[in-house]
Amino acid sequence: MAKRKTKKNPDADVHRVTTSGDIEVSTYLEIAQGMSGKPVATREVEPALEHESIIVMDFGSQYSLLIARRIRECNVYCELVAHDTPWEKIEALNPKGFILSGGPASVYQKNAPLAPAYVYESHLPVLGICYGMQAITKQLGGLVAPGEKKEYGYSILHLNSSDSPLFAGLEDTPAVWMSHGDRIEEMPPGFHALAYTENSPVAVMGNGNGIYGLQFHPEVAHTPQGTAILRNFAYKICGCKGNWTMGNFIQESIARIKNQVGKGKIINALSGGVDSAVVATLLHQAVGDQLTCIFVDNGLLRREEVERTLKVFDENLGMKIIHVNAADRFLYRLKSVTDPEVKRKVIGEEFIEVFEEEANKIGKVDFLAQGTLYPDVIESAASGSTASAKIKSHHNVGGLPARMRLSLIEPLRYLFKDEVRQVGLQLGMPEEMVWRQPFPGPGLAIRIIGDVAREKLEILRSADFIVMNEIKKANLYRHLWQTFAVLTDVKSTGVMGDYRTYGYLVALRAVTSDDVMTADWARLPYDLLARISNRIVNEVQGVNRVVYDITSKPPSTIEWE
Ligand code: XMP
């Protein structure tokens, strides 16, 4: 989940908030945290996982989460845990092996973090990556020292012998990605160098007894055969069977949800975004009508969004949905608000009020469903607080009365986004919903520069509809992170037929991105841009000029507000 940037704003003591990229309810809840009203005491429900797993012990590398993701891609369940996690927690995960991640420290520094003794005492296989390899070296009696030359970037790996199970199926001289200053001076007793690079005589080491170290990073895309190495570790060295599939996940979570929920009632705020949609579908398959979804139309959604969402969930999937048309309320509250951060705050607060009112009408409810994903959980844990403490704060639903004591149910909290999409597809959700581009919680309000009025919303909806339509026709929708129109507050002169016009300027934004933290403007074909521009000025009344935004993030953000 990307952290929103804090923009200092003299008028509003709020900032742009964390988002998993969807129009997700947690975003609203977070915005509304500042609201008065007693927070609800939530009891968190921990799903128990029954899988064989590989445990990644985190020493602080920026790539740690990526290791977990790569192992999962090999159909093996993997969790990232703090390097000092107690054994009882690890044992509950049924570990088959450990990976010690990279990290910024140097093992010879005072108080450098090391692996707990159980990692070695368990006799399970261990793979140290970069700092993790150096930790193994130090802990098992070898020597690590600063290298004469730091080694960053590509290196060629030369295998001393191709017999090691770690190298099964690898080509002889694979390219690997290095990023280290320290190096192994002396291996611990019993270890052998299995491969070297120009600058690292010990680029891979092993002791013939299940403990390995890699000086390079197999988890990054720059190590093309890295996933093969991790797969070898998981299957050939740890003996994993590969039972982590989304089909199994669905079966197990349905059983688990039934067990947790019993005869209880669940409410879920449906947003149209992928996460809340998958949560709803999964819960509905598990407990049917014990689930009620609340879908708030804030009047800031795209054209046909409300109809489409209702059609999928109500008509196709047969869910119990309360559709609240709250457009008037939201637009009334937004009247004359021009500051983007105030817009966000107002929308967040109003959402909580509407949600609370509707939830109260249902009667006694036991659970609040939430589309929390694994990166959210990890980020919360890394930000100092415990994961559950921070995650709970997302759900301290400012307005809900304290008498509604809700347990959280978060069936996706162990999944990565790509896994969520796979679950959605396997649950039979329409591709269009599963592959939906992110849409911000505050909706079109932050794509209208200045105040948000009904007629401006209509102009933007029409322009946005054309953009989407053309992008989909050009088969580009899934290749672009986001594509949208912005209604600026600039008006300019034009000429149509014999008349001069004075109309709005619409900006197009289309970006590519992998992780939302950085984005680049998409090099859309000129002909496509021409078609979009032509259609907008011809079909959308009030607009007489279209421009294309060619700035990357940073320095710009994806949204204009
Ligand atoms: P920026 O504009 O910061 O946006 O590059 C990054 C991603 O976040 C989305 N976004 C939001 N999502 N509430 C949300 O739920 C918000 O207030 C919000 N602001 C931006 C944006 O669409 C992009 O995907």
Side-chain angles (χ1 to χ4, degrees):
M1 175 155 108
K3 260 272 169 255
R4 305 284 322 165
K5 264 192 310 207
T6 303
K7 283 190 180 168
K8 213 56 211 147
N9 181 329
D11 301 323
D13 188 27
V14 289
H15 55 270
R16 295 174 81 174
V17 292
T18 45
T19 168
S20 59
D22 288 324
I23 165 181
E24 288 303 347
V25 175
S26 57
T27 303
Y28 290 125
L29 304 187
E30 195 170 336
I31 295 168
Q33 260 172 47
M35 288 176 68
S36 58
K38 260 194 179 161
V40 181
T42 52
R43 286 173 283 122
E44 193 155 346
V45 183
E46 279 287 344
L49 288 158
E50 292 134 23
H51 286 273
E52 54 176 22
S53 55
I54 300 271
I55 308 298
V56 180
M57 313 220 79
D58 187 10
F59 289 97
S61 156
Q62 53 177 324
Y63 304 128
S64 299
L65 198 56
L66 206 49
I67 305 173
R69 199 159 149 187
R70 294 280 174 260
I71 295 284
R72 298 248 199 123
E73 283 167 14
C74 302
N75 296 119
V76 172
Y77 185 69
C78 184
E79 281 208 22
L80 176 68
V81 303
H83 66 85
D84 53 359
T85 303
W87 169 245
E88 298 68 51
K89 287 205 169 167
I90 304 292
E91 195 180 15
L93 293 168
N94 188 21
K96 295 290 177 214
F98 291 99
I99 296 180
L100 312 183
S101 85
S106 278
V107 283
Y108 47 78
Q109 278 169 352
K110 217 174 139 204
N111 299 328
L114 294 171
Y118 63 71
V119 166
Y120 306 107
E121 287 165 0
S122 67
H123 298 296
L124 291 170
V126 185
L127 177 69
I129 295 177
C130 201
Y131 179 85
M133 178 198 209
Q134 293 154 11
I136 292 175
T137 305
K138 173 161 183 191
Q139 289 185 279
L140 299 185
L143 190 66
V144 178
E148 278 162 32
K149 268 203 215 155
K150 296 194 186 307
E151 196 179 11
Y152 294 108
Y154 280 110
S155 282
I156 295 296
L157 191 70
H158 299 275
L159 312 185
N160 292 331
S161 120
S162 48
D163 293 348
S164 170
L166 205 56
F167 299 149
L170 243 61
E171 66 186 45
D172 280 350
T173 48
V176 295
W177 184 259
M178 292 282 193
S179 171
H180 66 111
D182 297 345
R183 69 178 212 174
I184 313 294
E185 282 294 308
E186 247 174 61
M187 284 179 281
F191 278 77
H192 301 282
L194 302 177
Y196 64 94
T197 64
E198 195 185 333
N199 281 316
S200 295
V202 186
V204 181
M205 67 177 192
N207 70 348
N209 208 9
I211 305 187
Y212 294 88
L214 304 176
Q215 189 58 82
F216 57 89
H217 287 271
E219 68 277 23
V220 301
H222 306 297
T223 302
Q225 300 205 45
T227 305
I229 295 175
L230 292 172
R231 180 186 295 275
N232 284 339
F233 178 69
Y235 284 85
K236 297 198 184 298
I237 295 166
C238 301
C240 291
K241 295 188 197 66
N243 58 6
W244 176 249
T245 63
M246 290 307 103
N248 288 348
F249 169 82
I250 292 170
Q251 264 188 358
E252 285 172 26
S253 6
I254 288 182
R256 198 181 309 132
I257 292 164
K258 280 187 174 154
N259 195 22
Q260 275 172 15
V261 174
K263 292 194 165 20
K265 277 192 184 175
I266 312 176
I267 42 170
N268 176 39
L270 202 60
S271 66
V274 184
D275 304 341
S276 73
V278 174
V279 166
T281 314
L282 193 60
L283 291 174
H284 186 247
Q285 292 211 356
V287 298
D289 271 358
Q290 284 163 259
L291 168 75
T292 306
C293 292
I294 299 178
F295 177 48
V296 178
D297 173 6
N298 56 12
L300 306 167
L301 301 176
R302 293 176 150 166
R303 182 179 289 173
E304 294 181 4
E305 190 83 54
V306 177
E307 297 78 1
R308 215 174 318 140
T309 307
L310 290 177
K311 191 165 171 357
V312 171
F313 290 99
D314 188 2
E315 281 178 36
N316 296 7
L317 300 170
M319 285 187 203
K320 215 156 69 176
I321 297 194
I322 299 176
H323 165 215
V324 196
N325 184 348
D328 290 345
R329 288 174 63 161
F330 279 85
L331 294 186
Y332 178 75
R333 289 277 313 269
L334 281 170
K335 215 170 175 182
S336 311
V337 177
T338 53
D339 184 300
E341 307 310 320
V342 180
K343 283 182 188 172
R344 284 185 167 81
K345 188 170 192 292
V346 163
I347 294 165
E349 288 177 357
E350 193 61 28
F351 176 85
I352 295 297
E353 269 173 38
V354 174
F355 188 79
E356 173 192 351
E357 282 171 25
E358 294 303 321
N360 278 336
K361 288 183 199 159
I362 304 173
K364 184 171 163 9
V365 175
D366 309 277
F367 296 91
L368 174 67
Q370 190 65 48
T372 315
L373 303 194
Y374 195 53
D376 307 339
V377 174
I378 295 298
E379 189 195 314
S380 304
S383 63
S385 58
T386 64
S388 56
K390 168 81 187 295
I391 296 283
K392 269 184 198 162
S393 78
H394 280 281
H395 306 288
N396 282 338
V397 187
L400 286 179
R403 66 185 163 77
M404 284 184 74
R405 300 188 76 78
L406 298 171
S407 294
L408 283 182
I409 184 153
E410 300 176 301
L412 310 182
R413 64 180 275 133
Y414 291 100
L415 300 191
F416 287 104
K417 188 84 172 187
D418 42 342
E419 293 175 323
V420 171
R421 291 209 160 101
Q422 290 308 321
V423 169
L425 290 174
Q426 295 213 14
L427 287 170
M429 292 172 59
E431 293 231 350
E432 193 190 82
M433 183 142 277
V434 170
W435 291 105
R436 195 174 177 281
Q437 286 182 355
F439 185 68
L444 299 181
I446 55 165
R447 292 180 181 170
I448 293 177
I449 310 302
D451 67 312
V452 181
R454 232 174 258 276
E455 56 283 12
K456 287 189 186 170
L457 276 164
E458 264 323 299
I459 293 176
L460 182 57
R461 270 192 198 107
S462 306
D464 179 79
F465 196 76
I466 293 169
V467 176
M468 275 304 144
N469 186 258
E470 289 296 334
I471 291 288
K472 284 183 180 169
K473 273 202 309 207
N475 282 328
L476 288 173
Y477 183 78
R478 264 170 67 173
H479 302 284
L480 296 168
W481 178 271
Q482 274 173 301
T483 335
F484 54 89
V486 175
L487 184 63
T488 73
D489 57 354
V490 171
K491 281 191 155 185
S492 71
T493 306
V495 54
M496 281 183 183
D498 294 333
Y499 297 96
R500 288 206 169 261
T501 58
Y502 190 59
Y504 280 111
L505 172 73
V506 160
L508 301 180
R509 184 84 164 129
V511 295
T512 53
S513 173
D514 287 328
D515 59 4
V516 87
M517 302 300 289
T518 59
D520 198 6
W521 60 278
R523 281 23 174 202
L524 295 183
Y526 282 168
D527 286 350
L528 175 62
L529 289 171
R531 248 189 331 273
I532 294 174
S533 159
N534 205 24
R535 281 192 61 189
I536 291 177
V537 289
N538 279 303
E539 295 173 33
V540 185
Q541 243 199 346
V543 179
N544 65 358
R545 195 178 293 269
V546 176
V547 294
Y548 188 43
D549 180 347
I550 52 165
T551 18
S552 62
K553 169 185 179 174
S556 292
T557 49
I558 295 174
E559 303 290 345
W560 274 38
E561 282 203 332

